[in-house]
Amino acid sequence: MAEVSNKQVILRDYVMNGLPKESDFELRSSKIRLSVAQGSKTFVVKNLYLSCDPYMRIRMRNSIGSYFTPFTPGSPITGFGVAKVIDSGHPNYKKGDVVWGMTGWEEYSLITEPETLFKIEHTDVPLSYYTGILGMPGLTAYAGFYEVGSPKEGEYVFVSAASGAVGQLIGQFAKLKNCYVVGSAGSKEKVDLLKDKFGFDDAFNYKEEHDLDKALKRCLPDGIDIYFENVGGKMLDAVLLNMRLHGRIPVCGMISQYNLEEQEGAHNLLCLITKRVRMEGFVVFDYYPMYPKYRDMVLPLIREGKITFVEDIAEGLQNAPAALIGLFSGRNIGKQLVLVARE
């Protein structure tokens, strides 16, 4: 098969501090052969959807000791996506299969590490869901809430960045467990979404609150049993003051810190001792073996309308850098993803 043009999103150079800019990326075209050599275990995919996720900001730094390898300047960036197999030498993947997992920010990708992908077997739901509720963010929410958070019926749950890909699911999982759920977000529109669409019991706009401790005491006067941590910084400090005895804090991310030259310290860590709080960081890859269990749990909930998922879709690979950068100013409403191509 002849070579074809392959549009790609390239990181020009590392972005160590501050908000990334569109000029930090470049749209470039290369050539790719849409067939694999005989005897090869690799396969070629056509990328359909790409996922914009906060952890990608960490990969823009030349950081040592990160749980994710940094991007390589001058090369296409990589991330989670949904793709269709064009040609394959791998026994487990054939032409026409649809997969989700690690792929390139480009029109076509050569997959050399198939262990980073899951075959999509259920196509009666939107394929885009495999960048969100049925993909990495969904498994993150499931593992963080159920495995790390260990929820009990009727507990008090607080979620920061609550309207994002993970946060919106945490709130709905908590309601399924009959918990009282409060979320924070960065606009009135997002606060309304939390209460009207996702069923949160209460929510507040953190940008309008001069005292986060007072806001939490207003919304959760009896304190917090589980805080699902997406933000860090001042929000974490305020939450620590409001944790209940034997509370749990699953630490998923700290998006408020990703663009800072010097990260903010936490001042109220003594509360972990006095209130016997367990604060535990986790990485979704450790829970990959649980994916089939999670998928089988959540698919019926989606089909029966018992859980909902909001997406913010940018169209075209040329708009991918702006969509990714928008995460860090809260421009997206719901899960941010990029439509690269329709099947």
Side-chain angles (χ1 to χ4, degrees):
M1 192 178 291
E3 288 185 331
V4 299
S5 177
N6 188 26
K7 209 179 330 181
Q8 302 173 309
V9 175
I10 308 292
L11 181 69
R12 291 178 184 270
D13 200 357
Y14 292 121
V15 184
M16 298 306 291
N17 301 305
L19 280 169
K21 306 178 293 296
E22 287 188 57
S23 58
D24 292 319
F25 300 88
E26 177 187 348
L27 211 62
R28 187 185 298 172
S29 288
S30 66
K31 295 287 187 182
I32 187 170
R33 191 176 296 276
L34 299 185
S35 60
V36 297
Q38 192 170 0
S40 170
K41 294 291 180 71
T42 63
F43 53 97
V44 178
V45 298
K46 178 181 182 180
N47 291 310
L48 306 177
Y49 295 97
L50 297 175
S51 177
C52 299
D53 298 298
Y55 81 90
M56 298 174 78
R57 176 64 184 92
I58 300 170
R59 299 189 69 192
M60 294 179 203
R61 287 193 177 96
N62 188 14
S63 302
I64 298 171
S66 172
Y67 62 93
F68 240 132
T69 55
F71 294 133
T72 302
S75 298
I77 68 173
T78 57
F80 289 93
V82 174
K84 189 171 188 175
V85 178
I86 301 296
D87 189 38
S88 174
H90 196 284
N92 297 336
Y93 297 92
K94 65 182 188 298
K95 182 179 178 179
D97 283 346
V98 187
V99 296
W100 76 266
M102 271 291 161
T103 189
W105 274 41
E106 52 193 353
E107 291 176 289
Y108 301 95
S109 294
L110 176 65
I111 304 298
T112 58
E113 297 179 354
E115 64 274 8
T116 65
L117 293 165
F118 293 89
K119 190 184 295 186
I120 293 175
E121 298 169 352
H122 303 274
T123 56
D124 60 324
V125 294
L127 282 179
S128 58
Y129 276 17
Y130 288 90
T131 67
I133 187 171
L134 287 168
M136 180 274 289
L139 183 58
T140 299
Y142 177 79
F145 183 64
Y146 290 106
E147 297 297 315
V148 183
S150 303
K152 302 178 185 67
E153 293 270 335
E155 288 194 313
Y156 298 98
V157 177
F158 176 60
V159 188
S160 56
S163 67
V166 175
Q168 61 177 287
L169 294 175
I170 294 294
Q172 293 179 84
F173 291 162
K175 290 310 298 178
L176 291 172
K177 196 73 175 171
N178 295 316
C179 294
Y180 186 88
V181 189
V182 174
S184 65
S187 71
K188 182 183 184 304
E189 182 182 6
K190 292 179 181 179
V191 166
D192 291 343
L193 189 69
L194 294 178
K195 294 193 283 189
D196 299 338
K197 193 169 186 69
F198 301 137
F200 282 62
D201 295 287
D202 205 350
F204 62 87
N205 180 352
Y206 70 90
K207 292 179 180 177
E208 294 182 345
E209 300 290 343
H210 301 296
D211 188 326
L212 293 173
D213 177 38
K214 286 184 179 177
L216 290 168
K217 284 181 166 59
R218 182 180 74 240
C219 296
L220 291 149
D222 294 317
I224 301 166
D225 292 296
I226 299 174
Y227 169 47
F228 198 89
E229 168 67 300
N230 287 312
V231 169
K234 295 179 175 62
M235 185 65 80
L236 172 60
D237 242 6
V239 167
L240 287 168
L241 296 173
N242 289 275
M243 292 299 296
R244 286 160 62 93
L245 210 60
H246 302 294
R248 285 85 67 206
I249 304 177
V251 183
C252 175
M254 293 194 171
I255 195 171
S256 73
Q257 306 300 296
Y258 294 164
N259 297 303
L260 301 181
E261 186 172 353
E262 290 188 21
Q263 296 192 4
E264 297 171 324
H267 303 284
N268 295 322
L269 291 175
L270 183 62
C271 297
L272 297 177
I273 301 169
T274 59
K275 300 179 181 184
R276 285 75 116 191
V277 172
R278 176 167 57 86
M279 184 173 176
E280 181 179 345
F282 72 99
V283 176
V284 68
F285 308 120
D286 296 339
Y287 296 90
Y288 264 22
M290 297 186 67
Y291 179 71
K293 178 183 176 184
Y294 166 65
R295 180 197 58 206
D296 293 345
M297 181 276 281
V298 81
L299 269 170
L301 296 174
I302 296 170
R303 290 168 179 151
E304 295 164 17
K306 292 181 179 177
I307 198 164
T308 189
F309 193 68
V310 169
E311 300 174 311
D312 193 330
I313 303 178
E315 292 211 19
L317 194 62
Q318 70 276 9
N319 293 314
L324 176 59
I325 292 163
L327 289 177
F328 305 104
S329 59
R331 193 172 68 190
N332 57 300
I333 307 287
K335 166 64 190 172
Q336 182 68 67
L337 63 144
V338 179
L339 170 64
V340 181
R342 293 179 171 84
E343 283 192 82

